[in-house]
Amino acid sequence: MSPLLEVKDLKVSYYRKGDELPALRGISLKLHKGESLGISGESGCGKSTLASAILGLIPSSEGGVKSGEVLFDKKNLLKLSSKDMRQIRGKKISLIMQDPYGSFNPVIKLKSQLLETGLVHGMESLEAERKISSLLDAVQLPQDVREAYPHQLSGGMLQRVSIVAALINSPEILIADESTSSLDVTIQKKIAQLLLSLKERFALSLIFITHNLNLLSLMADNIYILYAGELLEMGPSASLFKNPAHPYTKGLIDALPDIRSPGSELRPIPGSIPSPDKIPQGCVFRPRCSYVFEKCRLSPPLKEGVFGHFYRCHL
Amino acid sequence: MAVVGLIVLVFLFFVASLAPFIARHSPYEQNLSNRLQPPTSTYIMGTDELGRDIFSRILYGGRVSLTVGFVSVTIALRIGVPLGLMAGFWGGLLDMFIMRLVDIMLCFPTIFLILMVITFLEPNIFNVMFVIGLTSWPSLTRYVRGEVLAVRERAFVQAADMAGYSRFRILMIHILPNVTAPVIITATLGVGSAVLTESVLSFLGLGVQPPNPSWGNILALGREYIGQQTWWLILYPALAIFITVMAFNMVGEGLRARLDPHGSGRDR
Ligand SMILES: Nc1ncnc2c1ncn2[C@@H]1O[C@H](COP(=O)(O)OP(=O)(O)O)[C@@H](O)[C@H]1O
Ligand SMILES: [Mg+2]
């Protein structure tokens, strides 16, 4: 079966003061219909850049796609006109942002904002009203939140409203970029589970972006680990958690708070992610890796270990 | 303060619009046997050199001043707001072109520009309104553009982009409502300054032409009698101008404090 969405060797750079900052350096991924795909990695590794590039929203004043393809529905989205691309955004591929308060206009009632999102894609207002009301049920919100202004709702409730906004036009793909990260831990889990149930109910395919690997263990069928704009490891969720092949993934998993013994000491990976203007030669993770050896001066290729489980390491 | 200003403005509108019912004498009616009378119970602000009732002339002059104020600000809004929206939202060459024009207009001393234009055209109330309107849009354009640039960066605009809204829709739905507050503030202050400009022009004989009354030309008549104890010729028109301009400024500043606590509508 061919994938619903395929990203091929995508390279994206930002430009600052004449310098080119490579934020994505050849990312490939495949999203199949009905799949829940997780993308993780420390902050600054390029997750949001990837989401923006898929939607064709890298601001041309700040950067641009250098090469690669984003294939959806047999079309390369990167080649579409901005008018055609608007027919994709919010209609075929929707995105939920991190900060629910930021993603709504503070001075307009939620009802009008939701309605407008349906109308821009050619819905009749009656049809949109009906859709909103059924979606509010689906995300377990009372109908009267329509009459509210954004600041009158809690973060968790408002994030559910953004889910309604994202689903109004019955998209095929839903991208959630750190959509739970600003919320309480318990609410994070609830929203994540809600997204999973909506995925089943509306036959969605999900790209779930988070730096929180714990959540992905619940959410994702396949997980992609990004580091400094590169894919370091990718594989089925169970396999990746049980047998992480890359020292970076191992480090991330070791650094997770242990659910069974709360209060135990955290072991973060020493050092920090390199910024795009200081990408190391050879293996990008080399300066922080405790297994480093001679060969790491050369860039490792992406290798397949167990079936469907890839990693980029000489070990 | 703002409330005081507002009450004064409401009162002024009321009085100006009901002028024919309030005035006991025609503003044009001359009575040479009664010239230069100090205030009495029949002529509560006295009479001028032609024996006309100054109170009536000030009432009717108020209609002129307020009309000029509002019409010229409306003209400025019609030009300034769209230009500011376009410059801020589309940016690029268009932005550069518009902002250069704004810079040129702003560094040109407006009053001289107005004087020049009016001396070439006929000095009358319509030309005054047009010229004030045509010269007072640049600061509006600049505010609106700044506001658009700030709003454009906000996450809900990106969210609208991600949901597939067209540029124009984003402009109308998200940007325009967010620039209304500074626009209202600037417009209110603008009416006050337009009233003042009109008075100056009429005072110089380049605005409303006698016998039509305007605060500026009433004041101009009084100038010839300075030093002759005819204080009412100067005091009342001057007070009318002063109170009106103050009231608009007070309301404008009050709105700023309420609607725009960050001061984004402030002159930059
Ligand atoms: N508009 C921008 N201009 C310049 N650099 C940017 C811009 N946006 C992101 N970056 C840089 O690109 C890298 C990836 O950023 P991002 O995709 O936001 O990471 P993540 O979402 O994984 O935290 C970071 O180093 C960040 O500093
Ligand atoms: Mg991010």
Side-chain angles (χ1 to χ4, degrees):
Chain A
M1 194 175 69
S2 72
L4 181 60
L5 179 80
E6 182 168 9
V7 175
K8 282 186 176 167
D9 199 28
L10 184 65
K11 293 183 179 151
V12 175
S13 291
Y14 291 108
Y15 300 97
R16 202 184 288 145
K17 295 190 205 111
D19 289 338
E20 180 179 339
L21 309 173
L24 294 181
R25 298 176 304 123
I27 298 285
S28 299
L29 66 77
K30 287 180 184 163
L31 174 71
H32 290 277
K33 188 156 175 49
E35 182 184 349
S36 166
L37 186 156
I39 299 178
S40 196
E42 288 163 296
S43 182
C45 66
K47 306 181 294 293
S48 298
T49 303
L50 178 56
S52 302
I54 290 174
L55 289 169
L57 281 177
I58 304 284
S60 57
S61 55
E62 289 160 35
V65 174
K66 304 287 292 178
S67 64
E69 291 173 58
V70 176
L71 299 171
F72 172 75
D73 210 10
K74 301 186 192 68
K75 285 180 298 232
N76 182 0
L77 297 189
L78 300 177
K79 292 260 146 61
L80 290 188
S81 69
S82 59
K83 187 158 163 277
D84 289 340
M85 197 58 212
R86 277 203 293 276
Q87 300 304 312
I88 303 276
R89 287 200 288 267
K91 175 107 179 88
K92 303 282 187 188
I93 307 178
S94 281
L95 184 132
I96 309 170
M97 303 206 295
Q98 168 162 7
D99 172 20
Y101 293 102
S103 35
F104 289 99
N105 190 329
V107 298
I108 305 179
K109 271 190 185 172
L110 289 170
K111 180 174 67 179
S112 325
Q113 302 196 50
L114 290 175
L115 209 55
E116 192 61 38
T117 305
L119 300 184
V120 289
H121 289 294
M123 261 186 167
E124 299 288 336
S125 54
L126 210 64
E127 182 192 2
E129 292 266 12
R130 243 182 268 134
K131 188 75 191 253
I132 291 167
S133 111
S134 80
L135 283 172
L136 283 174
D137 286 340
V139 301
Q140 296 145 27
L141 280 178
Q143 294 293 329
D144 56 11
V145 298
R146 304 151 178 259
E147 300 301 329
Y149 288 93
H151 62 93
Q152 292 173 316
L153 301 187
S154 71
M157 285 174 91
L158 198 57
Q159 199 55 294
R160 286 168 197 255
V161 180
S162 2
I163 296 175
V164 171
L167 294 183
I168 276 184
N169 295 297
S170 316
E172 295 177 39
I173 300 175
L174 186 61
I175 304 179
D177 184 1
E178 303 278 10
S179 300
T180 62
S181 304
S182 63
L183 307 171
D184 278 7
V185 184
T186 47
I187 299 171
Q188 278 191 21
K189 221 175 207 171
K190 277 205 188 119
I191 298 273
Q193 277 155 353
L194 174 67
L195 283 174
L196 271 190
S197 76
L198 293 171
K199 171 180 98 79
E200 295 305 322
R201 180 159 163 192
F202 296 110
L204 295 168
S205 309
L206 201 60
I207 297 181
F208 198 83
I209 299 175
T210 176
H211 63 273
N212 183 342
L213 261 181
N214 260 339
L215 264 184
L216 283 191
S217 67
L218 305 171
M219 295 284 301
D221 304 323
N222 283 297
I223 295 180
Y224 286 68
I225 303 290
L226 262 51
Y227 185 84
E230 227 172 58
L231 182 65
L232 289 194
E233 183 159 5
M234 163 282 151
S237 176
S239 168
L240 188 126
F241 272 97
K242 214 179 295 156
N243 302 307
H246 199 287
Y248 180 56
T249 313
K250 281 195 192 107
L252 287 177
I253 294 173
D254 284 342
L256 290 175
D258 193 338
I259 307 168
R260 278 150 305 176
S261 56
S264 63
E265 213 175 317
L266 297 182
R267 282 173 298 161
I269 310 172
S272 61
I273 196 163
S275 65
D277 55 337
K278 296 196 186 63
I279 309 262
Q281 293 290 310
C283 172
V284 283
F285 188 56
R286 185 171 54 136
R288 297 170 74 188
C289 185
S290 44
Y291 301 89
V292 66
F293 65 111
E294 201 57 28
K295 219 172 159 191
C296 300
R297 282 177 207 279
L298 302 172
S299 217
L302 198 63
K303 290 187 289 196
E304 186 165 13
V306 216
F307 177 70
H309 188 155
F310 295 82
Y311 63 101
R312 195 186 294 278
C313 181
H314 291 300
L315 281 177
Chain B
M1 281 292 268
V3 179
V4 176
L6 195 64
I7 293 171
V8 172
L9 284 190
V10 170
F11 175 75
L12 286 172
F13 283 121
F14 191 71
V15 169
S17 47
L18 295 181
F21 303 101
I22 298 172
R24 279 188 283 168
H25 307 271
S26 154
Y28 302 106
E29 184 191 288
Q30 303 184 5
N31 185 350
L32 289 175
S33 60
N34 244 342
R35 58 195 295 265
L36 295 176
Q37 292 296 309
T40 59
S41 55
T42 31
Y43 298 106
I44 58 171
M45 291 181 183
T47 60
D48 65 9
E49 59 175 357
L50 297 172
R52 294 174 298 196
D53 179 23
I54 291 187
F55 180 59
S56 301
R57 291 186 69 73
I58 283 186
L59 285 182
Y60 280 86
R63 300 179 124 191
V64 171
S65 294
L66 292 178
T67 309
V68 170
F70 280 100
V71 173
S72 56
V73 165
T74 308
I75 294 171
L77 284 173
R78 295 260 158 117
I79 303 171
V81 174
L83 284 182
L85 286 175
M86 291 193 310
F89 198 63
W90 276 287
L93 268 178
L94 185 69
D95 181 28
M96 231 169 71
F97 180 74
I98 293 176
M99 290 324 286
R100 284 303 80 77
L101 194 64
V102 166
D103 288 342
I104 293 169
M105 295 284 293
L106 281 180
C107 61
F108 213 96
T110 319
I111 190 76
F112 288 109
L113 191 64
I114 296 178
L115 288 177
M116 263 168 53
V117 175
I118 289 285
T119 39
F120 282 115
L121 301 174
E122 204 182 318
N124 64 34
I125 179 171
F126 296 103
N127 287 339
V128 168
M129 293 190 297
F130 273 108
V131 170
I132 296 178
L134 289 178
T135 50
S136 54
W137 59 267
S139 56
L140 255 168
T141 299
R142 188 174 266 195
Y143 297 153
V144 170
R145 174 179 176 270
E147 209 62 13
V148 170
L149 289 181
V151 176
R152 211 177 63 163
E153 292 305 311
R154 295 182 58 181
F156 61 79
V157 173
Q158 290 162 24
D161 240 336
M162 296 197 174
Y165 285 51
S166 69
R167 304 257 82 199
F168 186 70
R169 208 96 169 213
I170 292 179
L171 185 67
M172 296 313 281
I173 292 168
H174 287 309
I175 312 258
L176 195 57
N178 282 283
V179 302
T180 40
V183 165
I184 290 173
I185 296 163
T186 322
T188 310
L189 296 169
V191 177
S193 83
V195 167
L196 194 60
T197 310
E198 183 273 329
S199 299
V200 170
L201 288 176
S202 296
F203 182 80
L204 294 175
L206 296 169
V208 178
Q209 297 299 305
N212 294 323
S214 109
W215 295 341
N217 68 26
I218 300 173
L219 200 57
L221 273 183
R223 182 182 47 178
E224 294 164 25
Y225 292 88
I226 283 178
Q228 302 187 25
Q229 266 118 46
T230 50
W231 51 270
W232 61 92
L233 294 182
I234 302 277
L235 177 68
Y236 294 116
L239 262 183
I241 297 168
F242 175 76
I243 290 173
T244 308
V245 174
M246 274 296 284
F248 277 108
N249 286 353
M250 275 152 70
V251 172
E253 291 297 336
L255 284 174
R256 166 136 65 212
R258 269 194 73 94
L259 299 178
D260 189 21
H262 321 297
S264 51
R266 195 165 287 276
D267 217 335
R268 279 179 283 226

